[in-house]
Amino acid sequence: MGSLSLQQIRKSFGATDVLKGIDLEVGDGEFCVFVGPSGCGKSTLLRIIAGLEDTSSGAVMIDGTRVENTAPAQRGIAMVFQSYALYPHLNVRDNMALGLKQAKTPSAVIDSQIAKASAMLSLEPYLKRRPAELSGGQRQRVAIGRAVVRDPKLFLFDEPLSNLDAALRVNTRLEIARLHRELSATMIYVTHDQVEAMTLADRIVVMNGGVIEQVGAPMELYNAPANLFVAGFIGSPKMNFIDGARLGESAKTIGVRPEHIAVNGTEGTWRGTVVHAEHLGADTNLYLDTEKAGLITVRLFGEYAAAPGEELFATPDPARVYRFGEDGKRVG
Amino acid sequence: MGSLSLQQIRKSFGATDVLKGIDLEVGDGEFCVFVGPSGCGKSTLLRIIAGLEDTSSGAVMIDGTRVENTAPAQRGIAMVFQSYALYPHLNVRDNMALGLKQAKTPSAVIDSQIAKASAMLSLEPYLKRRPAELSGGQRQRVAIGRAVVRDPKLFLFDEPLSNLDAALRVNTRLEIARLHRELSATMIYVTHDQVEAMTLADRIVVMNGGVIEQVGAPMELYNAPANLFVAGFIGSPKMNFIDGARLGESAKTIGVRPEHIAVNGTEGTWRGTVVHAEHLGADTNLYLDTEKAGLITVRLFGEYAAAPGEELFATPDPARVYRFGEDGKRVG
Amino acid sequence: MSRATSSLPRSAAAHAILILYTIIALFPVLVVVMNSFKARNAIFRAPLMPPTTTTFDTVGYTTVMAQGDFLLYFGNSLTVTVVSLFLVLLFGAMAAFALSEYRFRGNTLTGLYLALGIMIPIRLGTVAILQLMVASGLVNTLTALILVYTAQGLPLAIFILSEFMRTVSDDLKNAGRIDGLSEYRIFFRLVLPLVRPAMATVAVFTMIPIWNDLWFPLILAPSESTKTVTLGAQIFLGQFVTNWNAVLAALSLAILPVLVLYFIFSRQLIRGITSGAVK
Amino acid sequence: MTQAPAPARRPFRWHIPVLLAPAVLVYSAIMILPLFGTLQLSLFRNVEGVRTFVGLANFQTLFGDARWSASFWNALWNNTWFFIIHMVVQNPIGVALAALLSSPRLRFAAFYRTAIFIPTILSFVIVGFVWKLILSPLWGVAPNLLDLVGLKSLFTPWLGKEEYALTTLGLISVWQFVGIPMMLIYAALLSIPDEVIEAAELDGVTGWSQFWKIKLPLILPSIGIISILTFVGNFNAFDLIYSAQGALAGPNYSTDILGTFLYRTFFGFQLQSGDPYMGSTIASMMFVIILAGVCVYLFAVQTRLRRYQF
Amino acid sequence: QDKSLTIESWRNDDLTIWQEKLIPAFEKAHPGIKVTFAPSAPTEYNAALNAKLDAGSAGDLITCRPFDASLDLFNKGQLADLTSLPGMENFSPVAKSAWSTDDGSKTFCVPMASVIHGFIYNKDAFDQLGIAVPKTEAEFFAALDKIKADGNYIPLAMGTKDLWEAATMGYQNIGPNYWKGEDGRKALIEGKQKLTDADWVEPLKTLAKWKPYLGDGFEAQAYPDSQNLFTLGRAAIYPAGSWEISQFNSQAQFKMGAFPPPVKNAGDTCYISDHNDIGIGLNAKSPNQDAAKTFLSWVASPEFATIYANALPGFFSLSNTPVKMEDPLAQEFVSWREQCKPTIRSTYQVLSRGTPNLENETWVESANVINGTETAEQAADKLQKGLDGWYKPGAAK
Ligand SMILES: Nc1ncnc2c1ncn2[C@@H]1O[C@H](COP(=O)(O)OP(=O)(O)OP(=O)(O)O)[C@@H](O)[C@H]1O
Ligand SMILES: Nc1ncnc2c1ncn2[C@@H]1O[C@H](COP(=O)(O)OP(=O)(O)OP(=O)(O)O)[C@@H](O)[C@H]1O
Ligand SMILES: [Mg+2]
Ligand SMILES: [Mg+2]
């Protein structure tokens, strides 16, 4: 229960092709994260899975059954909307309870479900408030709670944590992970957050411009990106791309992740000047203007005292250098 | 031009006290980031600065003039709303142009401003679309663009990047930083993102429950948090808090950041078992269940192969251990 | 065509109900229009029969065209209706915005004061209004009618519009304020376009009584050059004899312009909606 | 910390009077002054051809004189019934039609909407004529139609029977005006954000229960408006009854409502010459009744209705 | 400079006659005066006229309703005194009574026309069924029975929906025979008789007996329905006012005849309602007093009477000089003036001055009686009670 299969899904709004043939299999109980630049069609795809939007062509199958003509409520899914979509006239409790009441769930069960969800999302103090009286983050938590209480076989999350603060974000992320383990429900999750994507996903789907660029386990994408786009998209700060010709390499583009470059004050492969240093506490990002490789980013663990203007040598880890061909595909 | 001073700002909605006496000085040209848990009053404070909400009591001064009775438009500010608040009936271009047209800016200037902003925010393809035809992230970029084109002396950003994808996020973040340098405008910025807060801020204001917990430069907060709350809030993953009594310390609580713990397969201070490992590519988070310190998080640079169940020894960096007293204040 | 969110039986039922009600709504109208093309005898002999070759008769229309300058009357009606409508919408929306947007002392009282007008039939004020018009020399001008209809339409317009204006997002108006828009511009550039559906609705409500009114044209502007269609058609309502052919013809014709206006507004309604609010 | 200088006084918000002025001026000059000029006549009486102040004597007559009061209470009760018919027939039908029409991607919605609205744009003369024609026992439209469905025995001359006439007229009025609640509700329904409806779809709240649980609560303010408009409209109604049943609102005053009663008294009818004094007295009573209703709405209902900004 | 005059009227029906015949005739004789006939719908006329007079925007010439409606205007000073208008001598005091003060000393409108009540019948139907024109009530009902039995025709074309039809074409039509015309009417005004007296209840009783002869659903049958019913040949007898003549002539495709209200017993004196209906007066505030008076004098002239009566058969001139009329049906009606005693409608003079208004009540009660929702006695009782409520006989000035 809960497997999903998309076959050649296409969608256009008028003349704009938003999805250009999406094929995807999501196994039962899998946690699948969609990432991709803004506007690439993630929400649209999610809405198609939910049945809120019709496909222009292609098949959506849940548990092996084609569901294009099944009403959203019959698909056994729950969805958290990017814009929350709370019922403005109901208080938090009723927002969560409505779907259950509709399904004639006994009220004791409703109560316990809501108690659970609101504890998990720290919503207890607000159960009697209406959405208009909540802050942005509080609203988002209610939206998550509304999905969670329904125990669906397939969860659809559209950037559910983007308005939460760091602490809550981590908590809720862990709760969602736990939820996933406990319910063994299938989850489709759209996010912009690298950490969320990497930690939650069984598989990450990288979308771009209406097509899937690569599907794979998080570390697979990190270690073996299929092409320039995925390489640049996964990992933060972004992978450094250097013109192959400049380095005398045959590949079109050479990629090195910032964390795979070591710096040294005295010697190294590329000599450069510190342009800017970002001190994040746990790590430090240095922006170096190098003679050979141009402007590169280097990520260092912990604090590293480097003032702009300082001269440094950067050395890429040779085992961790990626090479991309003319067509953007990785060649080595 | 652009300094801000808040004196004893209080605000209540009916019986709920949302702001409980905020005092803050923001210097001219400073970049000030507000962080704090959801619902702590950040948006409310921003709205009070903008003049969209009246204070219950207290004084708001911009450039040394009390502005409580000055219309928002006269305060020389621009604001990016958490809910975007785009004009639904205007296309992207007009959304950005409206304020300028209003100020009777010559149309050549309008054009160039819009060209600049839309290039910076990758909005060129959408200039003729209406907000309803944009994705969430695209809308948010338009909202930022609308503020940017106006060159105000005081920017107010309410979680402007929360719906952007990682790449755009970094770009826009850098653009905002550049904007700040170039315009030397004062900026007040609300965010949930640690990286944003740490990299952008001249000073970070940590709010909690309607009061300011601490104000300081990013690394100051990271290295010298004033209390448990700030220590826990700044830094991700969160600082490990260990009961002082358990470790035989006099302080009530001992705090160690995950990145300040080293692990070793053979020896160390705390022996523990790996409960869960998060592989983020650039770093790895280990959750260890230790005998002496309970459940702790350890953050390691790069990839680290550790399977749940494995036994490991964790050693905190003694120079980086924080101690907190009964009242939550840091004592050492 | 959505298949997932609308089931066939449900939409079939919806269509069935709507068709049934459409028939109920249109049947009498059809009877009127049909009969306007029939000879008098045929109207009453067989009111349900569509005009046949034997009963087809445009005598009604020829009478209408022969008696009085109906083209002029149409023009007058249209002028009066459109101008009053414009003023009602403009003034009404302005006042509604002031009432719904700002908190000021006397807000509720002003609202109530502006609503008084819907509680007493304005006809009762006829004599005073007429005296006012006589004094200002406006008798037998379309201006007199426009003024009266504007006043008459305002209370309802304000009442409805202020309700709808409350649903416009505050953040949006605030964004405008920060953008430096004056309150007037916020009203004209932001709020007005967003309440377009409500404006269209109010326009429709306001327009109908104006178009159909008989009383004020009769009192204020009965002269040949200022007659409205409805007043013109009254010529055929005699004391003992009513020329039903002519009345039906005149009033059938009179439906057309309102229908056109209605179409214009309902397009606004739809356009207003599709421009929709955002998040 | 330096003591902050006192803030500049909040400038006078000129835009409020400016926005209100045109409406208030036109409305006061052309509506309120004449109307209250008329209403104050209720305190006067024509004594020997001279207008004389008589205080509340006219009201005493209206309620004390058996004949006046009988007419008044009759009209008031009829009016109330007329209103009830609209509330229980017109508004639910209007809301239901709007709900059907607003269902997403309904085909021909514009056609239905227009068709249903057409009766509203007809003049009373036509409405009176056509319904008299249809319901007339002589020309056979209604009897024949009933015959078609085998219900001919149900036919009676509804407009001519005391017990049915008012209800029949009420239903005709419903037929004519159902477009108004429909349009208002339609506009309100369309302003509900799609995503909220979609969330409901996902929650399994569809069809009627979606209407009851989601849409209806969100359009309550509009329903409130419609109710009060119906109330005001009905207690001011006049034209339909006047054009269908004449000023005497027959048979035997069974369709007399406050509007016709007022009109007859104020402007006179046939041999009865108009009595502006008693007329104004009745008008004042109507005004009081309607004002009371509106106040109840404004203060007791409207303030409790929650509005949602979408 | 031409003077131009505007005539206010409720007679939409007469618009073409004025435009095509009367006004050209006048303007030809009086160059320099232009006349416009500006009618409004009859139902709105009184109210609109009053408002315009009060505000001072009314036309120069005012078409006068009979009795109190116009008397009121005169008392308010809105109608000019026309007692000494040249041409007024052409009218008898009876003719002028509808537009004179109660004491008859002042007249304020020039009488234009009266209407006579009676019955118009479908001659073809009568011939076909072999029915003779009924002279007495018994014959009348026998004829009705016969028509009803035949089943081809509705015996009587009348409905009660419009109320006034029942009162005017029913009650006021047959009534004078019972209350003996002017005698009864005057006695009522003087208080010597009451509406509960037999003479006044009787016509209601007779009226109640009409019910079975009316068409199906007559309760919802409006006045135009009755007209159409008769002219389309579906009814045999039409309780009529003479004003119907011209329309019926043009619409009915069968031969028609007319008879006066049948008397109780053969040989009884017959009474007919010959009711002053239309007059024309002068707006006291008109700026064109002289021109208007010229016009009014012309209206009082036999020339006008002839054109008018022939253009509108059924509206009979009130002028002393006899008018030659072409229309046979109209001649039939007017011929009754010779055999029977004319009277005006009983409720019009004095008695409808107060509230409740006797005329209005009579409409309602007549309809109730025919509908069978009240008995004749109950109705009479109510009428008298209503009258007693305000009318003190003798106190009338
Ligand atoms: N109703 C619509 N009409 C026209 N274009 C639309 C419509 N809805 C979405 N689009 C376009 O489709 C594309 C995909 O939108 P979608 O909302 O799926 O993006 P997304 O991947 O969710 O982006 P984000 O991360 O910013 O939320 C966007 O370019 C958007 O502008
Ligand atoms: N109109 C209102 N009525 C009542 N309470 C309100 C209202 N607006 C905000 N609040 C409450 O005030 C508190 C602060 O809200 P605010 O929007 O400032 O939070 P925030 O810090 O911006 O949170 P987030 O990070 O989630 O956006 C919240 O608890 C919220 O529920
Ligand atoms: Mg999206
Ligand atoms: Mg906020």
Side-chain angles (χ1 to χ4, degrees), chain C residues 40 130 234 237-240, chain E residues 10-13 223 227-228:
Chain C
R40 191 196 67 96
L130 187 52
Q234 295 293 310
L237 292 178
Q239 183 183 15
F240 299 119
Chain E
W10 70 88
R11 291 287 302 165
N12 270 336
D13 323 39
Y223 169 66
Q227 290 177 316
N228 286 316

Side-chain angles (χ1 to χ4, degrees), chain C residues 1 8 18 21 33 47 57-58 61 67 87 89-90 101 106 127 148 151 185 222 225 233 240 254 258 268 272 276:
Chain C
M1 178 75 190
L8 193 63
L18 286 169
Y21 199 87
V33 175
D57 198 338
T58 52
Y61 292 91
Q67 180 57 255
L87 293 179
L89 288 180
L90 179 68
E101 178 66 14
V127 173
V148 170
R185 297 218 117 211
S225 61
F240 299 119
V258 228
Q268 283 303 306

Side-chain angles (χ1 to χ4, degrees), chain A residues 148-193:
Chain A
V148 163
V149 292
R150 290 185 52 222
D151 275 356
K153 55 182 175 181
L154 178 57
F155 275 97
L156 306 173
F157 291 99
D158 198 352
E159 309 190 19
L161 307 184
S162 59
N163 280 323
L164 301 190
D165 60 87
L168 250 169
R169 203 161 179 149
V170 173
N171 279 351
T172 317
R173 192 179 83 212
L174 294 176
E175 281 297 338
I176 289 177
R178 197 174 55 79
L179 206 74
H180 177 233
R181 277 197 308 280
E182 287 177 7
L183 304 178
S184 65
T186 313
M187 295 191 171
I188 314 262
Y189 191 102
V190 173
T191 184
H192 285 135
D193 189 295

Side-chain angles (χ1 to χ4, degrees), chain E residues 82-102:
Chain E
L82 297 179
T83 319
S84 52
L85 182 85
M88 214 44 134
E89 65 282 359
N90 292 342
F91 300 96
S92 70
V94 179
K96 288 191 278 193
S97 68
W99 297 283
S100 297
T101 47
D102 287 350

Side-chain angles (χ1 to χ4, degrees), chain A residues 85-138:
Chain A
L86 299 179
Y87 307 123
H89 59 297
L90 299 180
N91 64 26
V92 171
R93 194 181 182 291
D94 294 339
N95 257 285
M96 295 200 271
L98 186 66
L100 297 176
K101 282 194 193 143
Q102 188 64 20
K104 304 258 181 307
T105 314
S107 70
V109 178
I110 297 185
D111 287 345
S112 80
Q113 288 283 69
I114 289 178
K116 237 169 64 189
S118 52
M120 161 181 145
L121 295 158
S122 321
L123 281 174
E124 287 106 335
Y126 312 112
L127 285 179
K128 290 269 156 274
R129 290 211 204 159
R130 285 171 204 258
E133 298 159 356
L134 297 178
S135 75
Q138 290 162 344

Side-chain angles (χ1 to χ4, degrees), chain C residues 81 84-86 88-89 156-157 160-161 196-210 258 261-262 264-266 268-269, chain D residues 117 183:
Chain C
T81 309
S84 325
L85 209 51
F86 174 78
V88 167
L89 288 180
L156 193 67
I160 297 179
L161 286 178
R196 208 152 45 177
M199 295 280 281
T201 315
V202 169
V204 170
F205 298 169
T206 312
M207 150 184 102
I208 295 155
I210 297 178
V258 228
L261 286 179
Y262 169 80
I264 294 173
F265 293 127
S266 71
Q268 283 303 306
L269 185 108
Chain D
F117 199 79
M183 287 280 279

Side-chain angles (χ1 to χ4, degrees), chain A residues 5-34:
Chain A
S5 158
L6 303 176
Q7 289 158 18
Q8 277 301 310
I9 302 285
R10 285 168 193 284
K11 174 74 189 176
S12 25
F13 290 107
T16 332
D17 289 334
V18 173
L19 298 178
K20 298 166 186 159
I22 301 281
D23 283 305
L24 183 70
E25 300 288 329
V26 180
D28 183 17
E30 199 177 340
F31 200 118
C32 182
V33 172
F34 289 1

